[in-house]
Amino acid sequence: MPIHSASADAAATVHPEQWPQGHWPLPPDPALEARVKALLAKMSVEDKVGQMIQADIKYVTPDDVRQYRLGSILAGGNSGPDGGQYGTAAQWQKLSDAFYRASMDTSGGRLAIPVLFGIDAVHGHNNLVGSTLFPQNVGLGATRDAQLIHAIGEVTARELRASGINWTFAPTLTVPQDGRWGRAYEGYSQNPALVAQYAGAIVEGLEGKLGTPHYLDAHHVIATAKHFVGDGGTRDGKDQGDAEVSEAVLRDVHAAGYPPAIRAGVQVVMVSFSSWNGVKMAGNKALITDVLKGRMDFGGIVLGDWNAHGQVPGCTNEDCPVAYNAGLDMLEAPDSWKGLYKNTLAEVKSGVIPMSRVDDAVTRILRVKMRLGMFEAGLPSGNPLAVDSANVVGSPAHRALARRAVRESLVLLKNDGVLPIDPRKHVLVAGDGADNISKQNGGWTLTWQGTGLTNANFPGATSIFDGISAQMKAAGGTAELSPDGNYKQRPDVAIVVFGEDPYAEFQGDLPNLAYRPGNDHDLDLLRRLRGQGIPVVAVFLTGRPLWMNREINASDAFVVAWLPGSEGEGIADVLLRARGGIAHDGIVHDFRGKLAYAWPRTAAQIPVAAAQRGEQPQFPYGFGLTYADRGDTGPLSEDAGIELSSARAGVYFIHGKPAQGFALRLTGTDGAAANVTATPAATKDGSLRITSFDYKAQEDARSLGWAGKGTARAALVAPTPLDVERETNGDMLLVTTLRIDAVSPTGTTIGVGCGSGCSGEVSIGRQLASLPHGQWLRVGVPLKCFREAGADMTRLQQPFEWSSGTGERIAITDVSLGTVADQTLACPAAGGN
């Protein structure tokens, strides 16, 4: 039950004295303080406000930094150099140099204050082409190896510096309690003690060890502990949701990583999108100022997340004095920075934001820049690692470390004796993850969602198949790649690599822990091969534990590979015996990984919550077999505990049919509306007709044709109103997979609806006319277009409406939210209705 009124106030009351007492670990530095004070005294109000705002490189230019004196910039998940989504080291260096020069321009009496450049380097420098990509944190938690985590931090820092970037938005110190959360893979473990153990190690790896010359030197970067606090404990695992937990749970579970991160000298803490008992964290002064800055004595920068301040009651993305007054020193305003600058400047001048608060924020920002040596460092491209970037990025030593991390992170759930595999045999490597480097990396990889990529985007990386094939060939065996499981030569054993497709943040939220409900393709592949008498090894790529009992039963061995990153050969290292020998049973690398998250017994079971009720998971926290263990699990229950369906968040129309619970409604030019229950169908006045259409399979699309005078409409109606405000803020698209056959001369609009006064339409007729006809395209419209056209994105009843007139003919197979499209349309608003 949601918490309301008086109970909400009580539940959200903070007692700072009950939180861990911290001590800022950096010793007093009188010389630094004098420099900060002297610079602060020279700064105008405009200079100060600029330092407190962070803009995204997609929406800001070096000239903007020069004019507005912005203190920092960021590259969001889909923002890269030269208008792309990712870049090479040379491209990043060039961009970083341009922004640095702008910030140091003293013409017109400006002060030279170097700009910070932040990026989400969360499993290596994952926006850099050719970089070393490590297993996602969910896999690193299984290693139980803090020294490895430290080394990964060091390598990530080196590759960041090699590209001219000096700040990462990592580590993520969340403690996920519900695998339905789309960011669960960003957390190391459900266990706060393990997260706390890793926190200091990763911060020290990224920033260097306090008290040594290496701390924040030219080989290290600024780290960011995130997301303060409770993001891993939201109700039902909803991203940006509400953590309805006690203060003790918030403190002891969700904040466990922050004291050790602070002790290690972390320079930035990012505040969460989420709420605690109904209070948005970005506006929670008691937790930010009284606990984090006061009780924990954090002395660095407190940063807001991507437009998160706009979710605070009374705020917008362009105006939120509440967030600054709550203790945030810098707001991430990627696309809203100019309006925020204008409003914040006025509020500082009027006293709504006290000058003492401004001076505290700017002082913290300047201290961090001076600790990093930015005023003396010169151009980012002049960093020694940047000069030698060709020998730093993706170096053999870095890749060897990532390969070791893959080996240590693998968890063996079942082994009926098929493992390890003799590399002198013939092995079939099947499944859609076998030769798919994008899939083995997951989200936050080159693009925000990790989608829209091929193996060619990952120079130097190794797919799982390539790793297996290389070792088999070296030992005298052979490996055959066949994603669909059909083979030319009967194999001695089959390795089937499959799992979750890449996703990030709310795109990955699930209603339950079922794996691909309604789609048994992978299960059928396992059963088919095993039914042919071929021993089957399942290698599962996933960002979280899911209900996999049927797949485990259908396999002779089941390996959880998590999201292993760029070095697929690390999997071969453990699955295959030593070349040509049988010493020590031929095992060179044994399974070492232990579950950092309990595995669900049913698709409805949330293991952490279930344990609190005394229920047992399918595999407990800490489980993980070795080759010495008896690995036969026995048949597992195949009762999912729920009715399996194909319902997925953000999918409205799939394979020519409305998603579960949705309806397809046609409205004629006469205003009469009716739901489509079978095809063919038409409006009562005949102005819009729909028929079945074959795209990739029989009747997996629908053809729509308009006739008569006036406008007719096809719309998808949701079973309950949809809140897609967070997706809108996240620059997501409404993606329609369609074929254009003819465009109406009277105009076409695409829109969303929520009743009178809150719907929005975008005119797309001219843009459609310019697109290729007669071929299938994914056409995307930014959700922001609909909001700008007047739609209330928090309560959509029709998340898709296509309106047109006579002569229009299109075919549609899928409609969903996404980040990848073949053509992204612009936003000429046709007005709300």
Side-chain angles (χ1 to χ4, degrees), residues 39 41-44 46-47 66-67 69 102-113:
L39 181 54
K42 297 177 183 177
M43 295 174 69
S44 66
E46 289 78 6
D47 290 332
R66 181 181 292 106
Q67 179 180 350
R69 317 309 292 163
S103 69
M104 300 300 283
D105 184 353
T106 57
S107 64
R110 296 183 177 94
L111 296 173
I113 304 177

Side-chain angles (χ1 to χ4, degrees), residues 502-783:
Y503 57 83
E505 300 193 51
F506 38 78
Q507 278 286 85
D509 284 0
L510 294 176
N512 54 62
L513 295 179
Y515 170 64
R516 287 191 171 175
N519 181 352
D520 288 343
H521 173 80
D522 297 320
L523 177 62
D524 292 342
L525 175 58
L526 294 169
R527 286 173 171 170
R528 172 161 58 88
L529 290 168
R530 204 175 188 212
Q532 296 171 8
I534 300 169
V536 173
V537 176
V539 175
F540 186 45
L541 303 175
T542 183
R544 52 193 154 195
L546 295 171
W547 182 69
M548 302 298 295
N549 286 14
R550 298 181 301 166
E551 289 81 2
I552 293 171
N553 286 341
S555 308
D556 295 287
F558 196 93
V559 177
V560 186
W562 310 109
L563 300 170
S566 62
E567 306 310 301
E569 196 164 2
I571 292 171
D573 289 342
V574 183
L575 265 57
L576 304 180
R577 291 182 182 273
R579 298 176 187 172
I582 56 172
H584 305 292
D585 294 324
I587 297 168
V588 177
H589 298 290
D590 202 345
F591 284 93
R592 293 183 52 182
K594 305 298 179 184
L595 291 179
Y597 296 86
W599 208 269
R601 184 171 293 274
T602 70
Q605 185 190 61
I606 310 302
V608 174
Q612 295 169 354
R613 299 190 296 267
E615 300 175 11
Q616 295 299 311
Q618 188 63 67
F619 299 102
Y621 174 90
F623 182 87
L625 301 171
T626 69
Y627 281 130
D629 296 318
R630 185 175 181 275
D632 183 1
T633 65
L636 305 178
S637 169
E638 296 195 2
D639 179 3
I642 59 171
E643 181 180 348
L644 295 177
S645 70
S646 60
R648 287 191 293 135
V651 176
Y652 307 141
F653 195 70
I654 182 169
H655 305 321
K657 296 180 181 179
Q660 185 182 28
F662 283 74
L664 175 59
R665 180 175 298 168
L666 305 184
T667 303
T669 59
D670 60 359
N675 290 348
V676 176
T677 57
T679 54
T683 57
K684 187 176 181 180
D685 64 1
S687 59
L688 178 56
R689 184 174 299 275
I690 184 170
T691 58
S692 297
F693 189 85
D694 294 347
Y695 169 38
K696 291 184 176 180
Q698 186 176 4
E699 297 189 359
D700 64 343
R702 295 293 181 264
S703 181
L704 297 161
W706 280 258
K709 297 180 179 180
T711 299
R713 181 172 70 250
L716 293 170
V717 183
T720 57
L722 304 175
D723 182 353
V724 296
E725 181 68 18
R726 57 183 179 164
E727 288 86 346
T728 305
N729 288 335
D731 282 340
M732 294 193 69
L733 310 171
L734 179 64
V735 181
T736 307
T737 304
L738 78 164
R739 194 183 79 175
I740 306 164
D741 293 316
V743 177
S744 172
T746 63
T748 303
T749 64
I750 186 171
V752 296
C754 51
S756 177
C758 74
S759 300
E761 295 178 327
V762 176
S763 178
I764 60 170
R766 291 183 179 178
Q767 296 183 77
L768 279 187
S770 68
L771 297 181
H773 285 34
Q775 68 183 59
W776 288 91
L777 298 168
R778 293 170 298 175
V779 176
V781 178
L783 292 178

Side-chain angles (χ1 to χ4, degrees), residues 440-469:
Q440 72 191 45
N441 273 281
W444 292 110
T445 305
L446 294 186
T447 65
W448 175 34
Q449 297 292 322
T451 52
L453 304 165
T454 69
N455 286 1
N457 295 115
F458 299 92
T462 305
S463 74
I464 294 170
F465 167 74
D466 283 341
I468 292 170
S469 179

Side-chain angles (χ1 to χ4, degrees), residues 378-390:
L379 286 170
S381 63
N383 180 288
L385 294 173
V387 172
D388 194 33
S389 63

Side-chain angles (χ1 to χ4, degrees), residues 44-371:
S44 66
V45 177
E46 289 78 6
D47 290 332
K48 294 176 181 179
V49 170
Q51 291 295 306
M52 298 164 65
I53 292 174
Q54 185 177 72
D56 185 272
I57 60 173
K58 187 187 294 185
Y59 307 100
V60 69
T61 67
D63 283 341
D64 290 328
V65 168
R66 181 181 292 106
Q67 179 180 350
Y68 291 90
R69 317 309 292 163
L70 298 180
S72 68
I73 55 171
L74 80 149
N78 283 333
S79 299
D82 302 323
Q85 295 179 308
Y86 43 85
T88 64
Q91 287 177 306
W92 282 115
Q93 287 180 28
K94 181 180 176 183
L95 182 68
S96 189
D97 280 355
F99 279 107
Y100 173 83
R101 287 190 178 99
S103 69
M104 300 300 283
D105 184 353
T106 57
S107 64
R110 296 183 177 94
L111 296 173
I113 304 177
V115 64
L116 280 165
F117 195 157
I119 197 167
D120 288 277
V122 295
H123 65 120
H125 189 353
N126 41 261
N127 282 76
L128 174 63
V129 173
S131 65
T132 308
L133 298 171
F134 294 94
Q136 299 272 7
N137 288 352
V138 65
L140 296 181
T143 69
R144 304 298 203 276
D145 190 339
Q147 290 184 337
L148 173 64
I149 305 307
H150 180 277
I152 288 171
E154 288 185 315
V155 167
T156 301
R158 288 175 58 83
E159 298 203 3
L160 279 163
R161 284 293 202 170
S163 69
I165 296 175
N166 54 19
W167 181 8
T168 176
F169 302 135
T172 302
L173 300 181
T174 183
V175 189
Q177 303 295 286
D178 191 330
R180 292 175 293 180
W181 184 35
R183 302 192 77 155
Y185 66 83
E186 297 185 49
Y188 294 115
S189 176
Q190 70 182 49
N191 182 356
L194 183 57
V195 175
Q197 179 187 4
Y198 278 14
I202 184 66
V203 168
E204 190 173 284
L206 289 165
E207 293 190 345
K209 186 174 179 60
L210 271 170
T212 73
H214 303 298
Y215 181 65
L216 293 179
D217 67 4
H219 288 203
H220 293 89
V221 297
I222 293 167
T224 306
K226 68 181 189 183
H227 304 88
F228 188 83
V229 61
D231 54 340
T234 59
R235 184 179 182 181
D236 298 328
K238 183 179 180 181
D239 190 46
Q240 303 181 20
D242 191 15
E244 298 175 1
V245 301
S246 69
E247 185 180 9
V249 169
L250 189 73
R251 177 194 66 217
D252 298 339
V253 175
H254 299 289
Y258 291 92
I262 292 170
R263 288 195 295 271
V266 70
Q267 290 296 293
V268 182
V269 170
M270 182 185 289
V271 171
S272 179
F273 269 110
S274 58
S275 305
W276 176 54
N277 288 331
V279 180
K280 278 289 178 185
M281 276 304 309
N284 196 321
K285 184 176 182 178
L287 285 170
I288 297 170
T289 296
D290 299 342
V291 170
L292 179 61
K293 290 183 171 180
R295 182 70 175 175
M296 293 185 178
D297 198 27
F298 174 63
I301 300 168
V302 179
L303 172 70
D305 207 339
W306 183 284
N307 276 334
H309 55 275
Q311 298 183 8
V312 175
C315 290
T316 67
N317 290 351
E318 296 185 344
D319 189 10
C320 195
V322 174
Y324 284 120
N325 287 337
L328 270 71
D329 304 309
M330 183 185 292
L331 298 188
E332 251 185 36
D335 57 348
S336 57
W337 64 269
K338 193 170 289 186
L340 182 66
Y341 176 90
K342 177 182 176 182
N343 289 318
T344 302
L345 182 61
E347 286 152 357
V348 172
K349 289 182 175 180
S350 69
V352 172
I353 303 173
M355 186 56 70
S356 58
R357 175 76 272 274
V358 172
D359 285 347
D360 172 56
V362 177
T363 294
R364 288 169 176 267
I365 294 165
L366 295 179
R367 282 177 183 146
V368 169
K369 292 182 177 185
M370 290 181 184
R371 288 178 191 132

